[in-house]
Amino acid sequence: MVKSQNLNTYYDSIEVTVPANATTLYVSSRNPVEAKIQKVATKTYYTLTDISKELTLACFNCGQFHYADEKNPLTANEYFANWKKMITDVNADIFSFEDVINTNIANESITENITDKKGAVVSDNVNSVLNANSGATMYNLSGAASCLRFSSKIKPETMNIIPLTYSGIVNGSEKITQRYYAVRAVYELCGKKVAFYSVHLCADGHMGSDTAVAKTVRKAQYEGIIEDSKRFDGVVILGDFNPSQTNEYEVFKTSGFSMVNDGTIFTLRGNIPADNIIVKGLNLKSHTLIDSYVLNTDHFGFKAVVTVR
């Protein structure tokens, strides 16, 4: 009998190895969804060779595609065309997208067609634009959905969704917010295990007017990801960290990480250094702010080039 169980981690897919002479595999799920078993005879993973140690990374908060220019709005299809052009131009090996859908709405998913502000049905759905490979986008899993898009150059060995802190205690009372998760993909690059985390973390606004507890929750989320990453040779954390103060990234600096945004680049509404690409065990070669496209989001993105040591 082969058993795989982890009550604290959610999977889009899980792989188990069974003996060659096994005749039956029993699957039990706590979720009210159909369990689908697919037999894979062989599986190929791509790894970077010594000649190709360079990776292009990017992150962008999509703002649920709800932030159109009120004075001169484009149609949703026109915005989606701009998203597709941006993704093609950036040409990232790994692209993290955050806030891709509103998972608090039970009938909204990454593969459903949506409508623009005039009620017209949009020809593209979210995933046909982003072509995301996996992510925390299933119903009611997270109100701050993140997902990853990766090129055919490399493919992950594992994809997991890691639960993060969602409550904090301030003045003796507990404050609970929406569930938060990090999407983690682990790759073998040049003989090293490198973990990539796509994140959208607790913002002050996610806790109403209680900014103190939001900061407490956010710091615990930072520390949780740092702790989870200690098992890997290299780490990349990319996405929307939502700090309200420029010094909140210090916890990563003191843990040996490098980053593209030290808290002085305001990627959200001109006054919040929300977005970042943070690395450890890799060389951060260069980075660029993605801010020249007309997109229906209130964020700018980042592009970075890293090399595996």
Side-chain angles (χ1 to χ4, degrees):
M1 179 179 181
V2 178
K3 185 178 181 181
S4 179
Q5 183 181 40
N6 188 328
L7 298 180
N8 294 319
T9 303
Y10 296 83
Y11 295 89
D12 285 327
S13 62
I14 184 169
E15 295 181 14
V16 295
T17 301
V18 299
N21 60 348
T23 58
T24 306
L25 176 63
Y26 294 97
V27 177
S28 176
S29 174
R30 293 181 299 143
N31 298 321
V33 296
E34 179 184 356
K36 297 180 180 179
I37 309 302
Q38 181 180 9
K39 182 179 179 181
V40 181
T42 60
K43 200 171 186 69
T44 301
Y45 291 111
Y46 296 88
T47 60
L48 293 181
T49 66
D50 289 337
I51 299 175
S52 179
K53 292 183 178 180
E54 193 170 278
L55 280 176
T56 299
L57 314 173
C59 64
F60 222 121
N61 183 308
C62 301
Q64 300 174 23
F65 306 99
H66 288 170
Y67 291 89
D69 185 340
E70 295 293 341
K71 295 181 179 179
N72 187 27
L74 304 179
T75 66
N77 282 326
E78 289 171 329
Y79 280 120
F80 275 4
N82 289 347
W83 279 99
K84 288 181 177 180
K85 175 172 173 46
M86 181 275 294
I87 293 169
T88 299
D89 292 347
V90 171
N91 193 27
D93 297 301
I94 298 175
F95 210 135
S96 168
F97 298 102
E98 305 84 47
D99 217 4
V100 294
I101 60 173
N102 183 355
T103 51
N104 290 322
I105 300 176
N107 65 348
E108 187 170 6
S109 78
I110 199 170
T111 57
E112 285 188 6
N113 289 324
I114 63 173
T115 59
D116 62 20
K117 288 194 171 184
K118 297 179 181 178
V121 176
V122 177
S123 60
D124 287 317
N125 59 48
V126 172
N127 200 38
S128 72
V129 176
L130 302 182
N131 192 24
N133 302 83
S134 187
T137 55
M138 54 283 293
Y139 298 153
N140 300 323
L141 179 60
S142 170
S146 301
C147 58
L148 286 169
R149 179 185 195 271
F150 45 84
S151 71
S152 60
K153 182 178 181 180
I154 53 173
K155 293 184 179 180
E157 293 187 335
T158 61
M159 289 281 294
N160 299 121
I161 297 174
I162 311 301
L164 300 174
T165 298
Y166 61 94
S167 66
I169 298 177
V170 175
N171 297 326
S173 61
E174 185 180 33
K175 179 81 172 182
I176 297 176
T177 183
Q178 61 194 6
R179 297 296 181 108
Y180 289 89
Y181 302 82
V183 180
R184 186 189 70 197
V186 178
Y187 298 77
E188 182 178 346
L189 306 178
C190 301
K192 296 184 177 183
K193 295 289 185 182
V194 182
F196 294 80
Y197 296 82
S198 174
V199 301
H200 183 196
L201 303 181
C202 183
D204 286 357
H206 295 172
M207 303 295 290
S209 60
D210 201 336
T211 58
V213 71
K215 186 174 181 180
T216 300
V217 170
R218 192 162 53 242
K219 185 174 185 292
Q221 292 174 342
Y222 293 173
E223 293 171 343
I225 296 171
I226 292 170
E227 183 63 30
D228 187 83
S229 72
K230 289 180 178 178
R231 74 190 79 174
F232 302 107
D233 303 312
V235 182
V236 176
I237 313 167
L238 63 172
D240 183 357
F241 295 77
N242 269 321
S244 59
Q245 298 176 339
T246 58
N247 63 359
E248 289 189 46
Y249 286 123
E250 289 297 323
V251 64
F252 293 102
K253 293 179 182 178
T254 57
S255 299
F257 287 82
S258 302
M259 60 196 67
V260 304
N261 189 355
D262 61 0
T264 61
I265 304 175
F266 302 123
T267 57
L268 171 59
R269 301 171 191 166
N271 61 358
I272 301 175
D275 305 274
N276 214 336
I277 299 176
I278 299 176
V279 305
K280 186 176 183 180
L282 297 90
N283 292 316
L284 188 55
K285 183 177 178 181
S286 63
H287 67 273
T288 306
L289 187 67
I290 307 173
D291 61 354
S292 61
Y293 297 85
V294 179
L295 304 171
N296 48 348
T297 178
D298 54 349
H299 285 252
F300 293 137
F302 272 115
K303 173 181 178 180
V305 176
V306 298
T307 56
V308 183
R309 295 174 179 172

